Amino acid sequence: MAASVLALFLSVFLALACSTAADFYRDAAITWGEGRGKILEGGRGLSLSLDQTSGSGFQSKNEFMFGRFDMQLKLVPGNSAGTVTTFYLSSQGPGHDEIDFEFLGNSSGNPYTVHTNVYSKGKGDKEQQFRLWFDPTASFHTYSIVWSPNKIIFLVDNSPIRVFNNHGSSGVAFPTNQPMRVYCSLWNADDWATQGGRVKTDWAHAPFTAYYKNFNIGSCAPGTPCATQELDAKARNRLRWVQQKHMVYNYCADSNRFPQGSSLECKRSRF
Ligand SMILES: *[C@@H]1O[C@H](CO)[C@@H](O)[C@H](O)[C@H]1NC(C)=O
């Protein structure tokens, strides 16, 4: 009895202790953009900018096998058409795994598109896109990726917007054996990003700047509470609300692209 209470206490304690506020100086490396990426507020914040010559980006120094990754972002304001701001996880090499948040800019007054995707063993094609229910350029909001052995959860301000389950060997490949790094970038994608590439980047507004802060990394390895976490009723309701009211594209419903029918994880998708 005492031993199991102690074990419970220890596992909760370890889970808490494993969630750490990252310091951009210590935990991240600005990998491209020649001075367009800047660490701010003593390591708590970071800005990326984009001009006609280059975008910029950073990555985590460490690799992770599962985890909960929280990042606060304030996106490029005003006319952000053609720009893409990213926060994603990726492994390296062929047959890579990747879990993406991409924010596609828009012309002034038009909404950003939040693009999500999951690659397993090099295969993506699992896009879901959303509109936000707030202005993501007015203040910081928290975007999270929870990657556990059982599921991937995308969250915005702690509301789940998408769940991608691991259906095991009967299902679609799920990232379980390649460690991933965190990557963030701001770049020009005006050949496709805004309204299908019709709206180009207006360089008169450059440089464009996006802000990141309060990067937090928590463990979601097997044996941690995170790894077995299920959405409660409130979270499931919130997910349903986002998917019904704010989803603008779902690969599961795109029969033009997938005439042979949607893939297994769509049919068996359960919260
Ligand atoms: C930009 O705004 C237009 C008009 O509201 C919308 O159709 C489009 O999906 C938005 N997002 C992007 C990335 O083009």
Side-chain angles (χ1 to χ4, degrees):
M1 177 65 189
S4 68
V5 169
L6 182 64
L8 179 68
F9 173 77
L10 273 179
S11 67
V12 169
F13 174 77
L14 285 175
L16 293 175
C18 286
S19 176
T20 47
D23 173 327
F24 286 113
Y25 282 115
R26 188 189 60 209
D27 303 309
I30 297 176
T31 44
W32 62 288
E34 291 170 342
R36 291 175 185 81
K38 291 190 181 71
I39 295 177
L40 311 167
E41 297 175 53
R44 238 170 42 88
L46 194 155
S47 65
L48 292 180
S49 66
L50 161 71
D51 59 31
Q52 206 153 3
T53 308
S54 176
S56 50
F58 66 95
Q59 64 187 52
S60 62
K61 287 184 184 162
N62 290 329
E63 293 185 309
F64 303 92
M65 205 51 243
F66 308 114
R68 177 181 172 128
F69 307 90
D70 304 294
M71 187 76 83
Q72 295 191 327
L73 268 92
K74 190 152 92 93
L75 300 176
V76 174
N79 186 355
S80 58
T83 72
V84 175
T85 306
T86 69
F87 163 42
Y88 64 101
L89 305 178
S90 182
S91 67
Q92 287 184 301
H96 82 297
D97 296 333
E98 189 177 314
I99 305 171
D100 295 331
F101 258 122
E102 297 189 342
F103 303 88
L104 314 184
N106 216 332
S107 40
S108 293
N110 284 316
Y112 265 81
T113 296
V114 180
H115 174 98
T116 63
N117 203 355
V118 175
Y119 287 74
S120 335
K121 302 197 164 57
K123 190 180 181 312
D125 294 337
K126 302 180 198 63
E127 301 86 353
Q128 287 186 354
Q129 296 184 335
F130 305 85
R131 293 267 191 274
L132 295 166
W133 47 97
F134 52 82
D135 175 0
T137 72
S139 54
F140 283 93
H141 289 269
T142 306
Y143 304 88
S144 311
I145 297 171
V146 178
W147 171 35
S148 80
N150 303 317
K151 54 169 69 68
I152 292 166
I153 310 172
F154 295 83
L155 302 110
V156 174
D157 288 336
N158 237 8
S159 292
I161 64 165
R162 173 175 188 180
V163 175
F164 183 77
N165 285 305
N166 183 358
H167 292 296
S169 53
S170 64
V172 163
F174 184 93
T176 52
N177 54 18
Q178 307 190 75
M180 299 204 256
R181 277 200 174 81
V182 180
Y183 295 85
C184 296
S185 56
L186 172 59
W187 47 289
N188 177 42
D190 69 359
D191 51 336
W192 61 270
T194 303
Q195 299 178 34
R198 286 191 304 278
V199 185
K200 300 295 177 192
T201 304
D202 180 357
W203 295 110
H205 289 89
F208 302 98
T209 304
Y211 293 90
Y212 294 78
K213 74 173 187 186
N214 294 338
F215 181 25
N216 207 74
I217 305 165
S219 174
C220 209
T224 61
C226 172
T228 51
Q229 186 191 321
E230 295 294 337
L231 299 188
D232 61 15
K234 190 167 160 250
R236 289 197 303 272
N237 281 336
R238 193 71 180 163
L239 176 63
R240 231 171 269 127
W241 174 77
V242 174
Q243 297 225 328
Q244 282 166 9
K245 300 272 192 259
H246 298 280
M247 188 191 272
V248 292
Y249 178 79
N250 184 1
Y251 76 111
C252 289
D254 191 341
S255 53
N256 289 328
R257 222 173 126 205
F258 304 104
Q260 72 286 17
S262 63
S263 64
L264 192 63
E265 81 274 12
C266 296
K267 296 192 186 94
R268 298 183 47 192
S269 181
R270 282 176 44 83
F271 307 152

